[in-house]
Amino acid sequence: MQVLFNDLAAQYQAIRNEVDAALQKVLQGGWYVGSTHVQSFEEEFAKRCGANYAIGLGNATDGLFLALKALNIQPGDEVITPAWSWISSAEVITHCGARVVFADVEPETFTVSAKAIQGKITNRTKAVVVVHLYGKMALIKPIQDLCKQYQLKLIEDCSQAHFAESVAGKVGTIGDCGVFSFYPTKNLGAFGDAGCLITNNENLALKVRRLANHGGLTKDEHLFEGVNSRLDSIQAAILQVKLAHIISWTNTRRLLSNIYQEKLRVVKEIILPCVDEPLAHVFHLFVIRAQNREALQKHLQQLSIQALTHYPKALPFEPAYTYLNHTEKDFPVSAQLQQEVVSLPLHPFLSREQIEYVCHGILSFYGY
Ligand SMILES: *Cc1c(COP(=O)(O)O)cnc(C)c1O
């Protein structure tokens, strides 16, 4: 049996008729950028997220950058962000001329705590970029309170956590804004690069929309310099088709995760993902912490099971950040995670048998 980490072709086959019809409509309409397809997707996405505004963008990295720009982050400012994340949430801070300040994550949840953020606040701190990693929302209420107390802007990176919700509210609506990636492998993915920013703040929405379109809402308006980062019609139409399926796909991710949890509970050599609040986790990835990680991955590979590493290196230890002169002692949890994490295959088109085959592979590796 072969178990792929992801299977986007299987996803396409499952919704082929709907996707093909939507594509035909866009292609025959002859309006490929800034069309009613984009507007219609933005309206539906905002509504489904529980936000007043959604702005389609070229990708989530641009979304994070434009969010910081719109919130007036500039040289001399500091922005706090997790040491354990994809690089986008950090690099955009530098692109605004501000200083990246990393905070370590919690070993159980892989996300930053309010306490870790508080420890990094100085009188130059202007904002926090929180990442809802692997599909699990960070413990956001205390972070929201902390940001209010210190008058910090709060940006939620929801690139891995579409439609997660916690007692604090729906993902992306708790901070000043939420940013989503629609990169093909994300829970809601386009057929290319795409992203989106949601907010309840009308002024922020307008500012981001202008920044993403050369400083204007219309063709010849240039109130300030911006960039070109737009969601195109084809991607919007595909995303709108997929929106009708996302809840069912998320439920399947949760069901398959439960099988992993049940079968692997006995393995003392691994730590399973924490699911303290079921709706707050949409299982973009199923990440375990494993003893003897390299050998386990090799064993799985021999069984034709694709298991990946998100991420091989914590951000402060990447060459891009050597200028900050950090050592592993500064981020002990992230330093440990980079030795231990393994992402097991998890997507809505896996069968129960495939999940059980992966579990069997892990059990046999540790001699159970
Ligand atoms: C994928 C991802 C991004 C970047 O998204 P793009 O659309 O590829 O720019 C940012 N943050 C996190 C946490 C991600 O997983």
Side-chain angles (χ1 to χ4, degrees), residues 59-62 64 85-86 88-89 131 133 157 159-160 181-183 186 193-194 311:
N59 57 74
T61 309
D62 283 356
L64 294 165
S85 174
W86 175 247
S88 301
S89 45
V131 181
L133 203 70
D157 183 345
S159 296
Q160 302 189 0
S181 173
F182 304 128
Y183 181 77
K186 303 289 158 103
D193 279 305
Y311 300 90

Side-chain angles (χ1 to χ4, degrees), residues 6 8 11 60-61 86 88 157-162 180-190 192-194 239 242 246 249 253 283-285 310-311 347-348:
N6 215 329
L8 296 178
Q11 188 198 52
T61 309
W86 175 247
S88 301
D157 183 345
C158 313
S159 296
Q160 302 189 0
H162 309 72
F180 293 81
S181 173
F182 304 128
Y183 181 77
T185 59
K186 303 289 158 103
N187 283 26
L188 180 63
D193 279 305
L239 287 166
K242 290 194 183 187
I246 185 69
W249 289 340
R253 285 175 184 275
F283 283 99
H284 172 57
L285 297 171
H310 300 89
Y311 300 90
H347 61 80

